[in-house]
Amino acid sequence: MTVRLNLRTLFLDHSAALGGAELYLLDLAPAFAPPGEVLLLEEGPFYEKLRAAGIPADVITAPEAVRRVAREAGPFRALRAVPGLLRLAWRVARKARAFDLIYANSQKALVVGSLAAQMARRPLVWNLHDVLTTEHFSAMNIRLAVTLANRFARLLIANSEASKAAFLEAGGRVPVVVVHNGIDVERFAAVDPEQVAALRRELGLRDGPVVGLFSRLAPWKGQHVLLEALAELPEVQAILVGEALFQDEQLYAEQLRKRAAQPDLEGRVHFLGFRDDVPMLMQLVDVVVHTSVAPEPFGRVIVEGMLARRPVIATRGGGAVEIVRDGETGLLVPPGDAQALAAAIRHLLEHPDQARQLAEAGSQDARHRFSIEAMRKGVHQALAALQEA
């Protein structure tokens, strides 16, 4: 049963791409909208998903100078964006006056939302989906985010203890509540084996074991680590589900494809791009791997792999260690260690009974701890406490 809060919430997100934060909001918003609404700063697939799901959504397009400010942006680019940022914040503030709360769902949304909240005289909540370290962001962007949160946010909702700890270490002083992401359990219910077999033929997979990595193509996501592990596993194929989202990731994606075309990997690595049939694709694989070389804020695909009853191997660090109990619900390996990853994959393939035990235990644990209703309840309680304060 969906819990609802009598609080008109304006969810603000800068992106219309389907990243982890946007998928989170797609699951969270139905508990609040209507009367709440999602406001995006660009049009794209996420906007279409919201509308298809019957979630009230609107777009106020951000100026080009604002959209170009990246995680690693320097002060000059940021300064050029200020005039457009002020105009954008004013437009958001005008809309926010019809709501009780602005809920910023990204760092760019925090910047815009901080200004808009002051203009509209509305409280601001920031949902932190990132680990604020220099492995992910420039020092300037970290300082800006923490300063804005300390100055303007009433509450911060973090998606993991790792995200919370990084925020506090960076100087955060706002009250922080940890609410882990929730995943739609029903999407990962048992699927028709004949459909799975047909999909395998469609993708041109040969007989033999297959591992799956489900993530956008980005250096810190570590797809290159899997490719090097595959070089030690000549009988194993891999599917890579996801694509580069940002311009600086395009070169990395090209490098991955070049490496996969080399003789030792040729024909064994399948790049599938973005897909809507992830639950079905996970049924194709013998092992789901997670290879991030920097701390993961949460690790949504780890939970999805567990819900799909696949044995999961994840990188030790960040939110992943809050999801996987090493040796009980999955396996953890050091970040960036291709040999350790290859050894873990080989171990699971050679010990199918243990792999099944891990998969079953992982599924039960994920269903209990990471449901959508548990996530909605956590956010509901946090906002209710804010409303009563």
Side-chain angles (χ1 to χ4, degrees), residues 64-365:
E64 183 66 21
V66 175
R67 295 201 299 271
R68 285 181 178 175
V69 177
R71 294 182 173 195
E72 69 281 1
F76 295 109
R77 174 170 284 186
L79 285 172
R80 287 197 297 269
V82 169
L85 175 62
L86 293 173
R87 291 193 298 271
L88 175 64
W90 177 248
R91 295 179 66 192
V92 173
R94 290 179 61 189
K95 187 173 185 67
R97 291 190 181 100
F99 297 87
D100 301 311
L101 170 76
I102 298 177
Y103 189 110
N105 194 51
S106 67
Q107 283 199 53
K108 284 188 179 179
L110 170 67
V111 176
V112 177
S114 295
L115 296 172
Q118 293 303 296
M119 295 173 180
R121 299 183 182 275
R122 294 294 183 270
L124 174 71
V125 171
W126 180 27
N127 200 310
L128 177 61
H129 296 280
D130 299 301
V131 175
L132 295 179
T133 66
T134 53
E135 293 173 291
H136 295 284
F137 302 95
S138 71
M140 186 189 79
N141 277 352
I142 293 173
R143 287 196 300 272
L144 175 63
V146 173
T147 299
L148 289 175
N150 286 341
R151 175 66 179 84
F152 298 113
R154 293 275 302 279
L155 174 70
L156 190 150
I157 297 176
N159 64 347
S160 68
E161 294 291 344
S163 296
K164 174 182 176 179
F167 172 75
L168 296 177
E169 187 173 340
R173 300 189 303 273
V174 182
V176 183
V177 175
V178 173
V179 179
H180 287 129
N181 288 6
I183 312 296
D184 185 355
V185 171
E186 296 307 315
R187 289 188 65 223
F188 294 87
V191 298
D192 185 348
E194 292 186 3
Q195 290 181 316
V196 175
L199 182 56
R200 184 182 183 112
R201 291 192 297 271
E202 176 188 326
L203 297 177
L205 295 171
R206 304 191 301 262
D207 291 337
V210 180
V211 299
L213 200 167
F214 301 78
S215 173
R216 82 173 195 263
L217 304 184
W220 77 274
K221 289 292 188 179
Q223 283 87 357
H224 62 281
V225 180
L226 175 59
L227 298 192
E228 295 312 313
L230 290 176
E232 301 185 26
L233 303 166
E235 75 283 5
V236 178
Q237 303 167 85
I239 59 172
L240 272 59
V241 181
E243 192 51 85
L245 283 180
F246 307 108
Q247 186 174 2
D248 60 336
E249 297 169 353
Q250 297 296 332
L251 178 59
Y252 178 70
E254 293 175 9
Q255 293 171 341
L256 291 175
R257 290 183 167 88
K258 288 180 180 178
R259 177 65 184 92
Q262 293 179 7
D264 60 339
L265 296 180
E266 187 176 8
R268 294 199 286 133
V269 181
H270 302 260
F271 293 87
L272 304 188
F274 291 114
R275 303 275 300 214
D276 289 327
D277 56 348
V278 166
M280 180 78 72
L281 289 167
M282 284 187 169
Q283 296 300 319
L284 282 176
V285 307
D286 298 279
V287 181
V288 170
V289 296
H290 162 270
T291 58
S292 294
V293 297
E296 188 80 51
F298 177 66
R300 182 184 181 93
V301 297
I302 301 173
V303 177
E304 291 179 340
M306 295 163 75
L307 290 174
R309 285 190 166 84
R310 301 292 92 183
V312 172
I313 302 171
T315 293
R316 182 180 286 108
V321 300
E322 299 170 39
I323 299 172
V324 176
R325 298 186 175 100
D326 192 22
E328 298 179 17
T329 61
L331 298 180
L332 295 173
V333 296
D337 192 333
Q339 290 187 336
L341 178 60
I345 294 172
R346 185 181 296 111
H347 179 83
L348 291 179
L349 294 177
E350 292 177 352
H351 298 84
D353 288 342
Q354 183 184 4
R356 282 192 291 270
Q357 291 172 2
L358 289 174
E360 184 59 33
S363 175
Q364 294 300 321
D365 193 48

